[in-house]
Amino acid sequence: SSDEYPIIGTLDLVTDGDKEADEGSWVELGPGTQWVQIDLQKSSTISAIVLWHYHGEARIYRDVVVQVSDDANFKSGVKTVFNNDQDNSSGLGAGKQREFFEMAEGKIVDAKNVKGRYVRLYSKGNTSDDQNHYTEVEIYGK
């Protein structure tokens, strides 16, 4: 994670299988552009990524960018599979996807069978406050 000391929760909540909006089900990272990263342990073909930010109330998370790479530092071989940062305010390139309301069903990202070992998910605050919340991430592949 980009935030070494989350405000609320622990990073293991991102992959614990709990997708609810209950207290204690999400990790809260500080303001600004923040990210969480998942290590798949080996390069894999990824068909879909499903992500849940906090969804206990209607809100939109800003500058949501999902990238895949074989480089843990995301310095080379980076493939962007979702980007709704249309004004490039997070500096990861201008995106073409639309912002979306968080829902209990999660946001499905078509990864188009991209290959990579690491999946990194960015956000930059939301319409309720400037914090970044991650409830769950699921990665599907072959």
Side-chain angles (χ1 to χ4, degrees):
S1 168
S2 57
D3 192 343
E4 215 173 306
Y5 303 103
I7 297 167
I8 296 173
T10 56
L11 293 172
D12 62 329
L13 294 172
V14 175
T15 57
D16 69 350
D18 182 358
K19 303 166 188 77
E20 300 302 320
D22 300 328
E23 188 73 34
S25 294
W26 68 86
V27 61
E28 180 177 281
L29 307 180
T33 303
Q34 298 283 359
W35 53 263
V36 295
Q37 180 170 306
I38 307 209
D39 181 356
L40 301 175
Q41 303 299 308
K42 65 178 183 171
S43 189
S44 303
T45 300
I46 302 168
S47 54
I49 300 163
V50 187
L51 63 124
W52 288 260
H53 293 107
Y54 177 74
H55 55 84
E57 63 182 46
R59 60 174 72 180
I60 296 170
Y61 281 81
R62 305 288 189 203
D63 296 2
V64 174
V65 179
V66 181
Q67 296 181 328
V68 176
S69 181
D70 279 320
D71 175 14
N73 296 313
F74 280 73
K75 299 291 183 201
S76 66
V78 177
K79 297 159 217 119
T80 301
V81 296
F82 184 88
N83 183 345
N84 71 8
D85 180 10
Q86 295 181 0
D87 64 357
N88 193 26
S89 62
S90 286
L92 299 166
K96 296 187 186 307
Q97 278 88 10
R98 293 178 164 233
E99 292 183 329
F100 56 93
F101 281 99
E102 290 300 323
M103 299 175 64
E105 294 82 14
K107 172 67 175 171
I108 299 172
V109 173
D110 180 359
K112 296 180 175 44
N113 294 320
V114 69
K115 284 194 67 127
R117 174 176 173 171
Y118 302 95
V119 177
R120 189 176 280 189
L121 302 102
Y122 295 85
S123 63
K124 186 179 180 185
N126 62 80
T127 53
S128 292
D129 58 42
D130 59 358
Q131 307 304 325
N132 297 277
H133 308 91
Y134 289 90
T135 302
E136 190 72 18
V137 175
E138 293 180 344
I139 301 166
Y140 294 88
K142 298 179 181 179

